[in-house]
Amino acid sequence: MIFGSLLLIILSIPFVIIYLLNNDNPYDKYLVNKYIPLHLEKMGYLEDDIMKQSYIQPKHGINYDVYQQGHSMVVFKDEPQFEYLYGVTKRGKEVIQFCEKESLIAENHYGDMNTTKTNHSEKECIGYLDNRD
């Protein structure tokens, strides 16, 4: 019985890894989908203020203070040229806005990330690529 259970666990590990690689980390996705909409609501944003909000996965390492596998991209209706990025901190599970914003030049074409203050910049933010050592 114990040998069978142990064998089942060992054989299932590759399938779990392949699932996570193809379908994102479900825990990170849960945190992003739970905390970020609540944060935006507390900041006074209504559904009508937001043009697009989606879960995204970075293709490289980001700030280690936040969960690495996913964060949220938000586009506000009054600033459709900017994609604001939000993450959930590992300590305290607080939502933080990244200082950098993606600048949309044309559909699916982006300029450099910028840190200029805009309508929806929050007072406190963290660097997207800071604290990666």
Side-chain angles (χ1 to χ4, degrees), residues 60-66 68 90 97-100 113 115 125-133:
H60 49 77
I62 61 171
N63 192 313
Y64 287 138
D65 290 336
V66 299
Q68 295 292 299
K90 292 176 183 175
Q97 185 183 69
F98 292 105
C99 300
E100 299 83 359
M113 292 182 92
T115 58
C125 62
I126 62 171
Y128 188 72
L129 300 175
D130 292 349
N131 189 28
R132 296 187 311 156
D133 33 86

Side-chain angles (χ1 to χ4, degrees), residues 36-50 53 74 76-79 84 86 97 118-122:
I36 293 176
L38 289 174
H39 172 77
L40 294 171
E41 191 177 300
K42 285 180 187 175
M43 296 294 293
Y45 296 116
L46 305 172
E47 242 179 73
D48 292 343
D49 298 326
I50 298 171
Q53 180 179 359
V74 177
F76 294 97
K77 285 184 180 175
D78 63 341
E79 287 185 322
Y84 291 84
Y86 293 85
Q97 185 183 69
T118 55
N119 293 345
H120 303 287
S121 294
E122 295 183 10

Side-chain angles (χ1 to χ4, degrees), residues 51-62:
M51 184 159 81
K52 181 179 177 184
Q53 180 179 359
S54 60
Y55 175 84
I56 57 176
Q57 238 185 319
K59 295 179 179 164
H60 49 77
I62 61 171

Side-chain angles (χ1 to χ4, degrees), residues 75-101:
V75 177
F76 294 97
K77 285 184 180 175
D78 63 341
E79 287 185 322
Q81 72 277 21
F82 293 117
E83 291 184 349
Y84 291 84
L85 302 173
Y86 293 85
V88 178
T89 62
K90 292 176 183 175
R91 288 183 181 241
K93 305 223 180 348
E94 295 177 21
V95 173
I96 191 80
Q97 185 183 69
F98 292 105
C99 300
E100 299 83 359
K101 294 165 248 349

Side-chain angles (χ1 to χ4, degrees), residues 7-54:
L7 183 62
L8 181 64
I9 291 171
I10 291 170
L11 292 175
S12 67
I13 289 174
F15 294 105
V16 170
I17 290 171
I18 289 170
Y19 173 83
L20 291 176
L21 289 173
N22 289 324
N23 296 296
D24 307 327
N25 181 329
Y27 181 67
D28 288 358
K29 198 171 196 175
Y30 165 78
L31 291 174
V32 166
N33 290 330
K34 177 182 178 185
Y35 289 108
I36 293 176
L38 289 174
H39 172 77
L40 294 171
E41 191 177 300
K42 285 180 187 175
M43 296 294 293
Y45 296 116
L46 305 172
E47 242 179 73
D48 292 343
D49 298 326
I50 298 171
M51 184 159 81
K52 181 179 177 184
Q53 180 179 359
S54 60

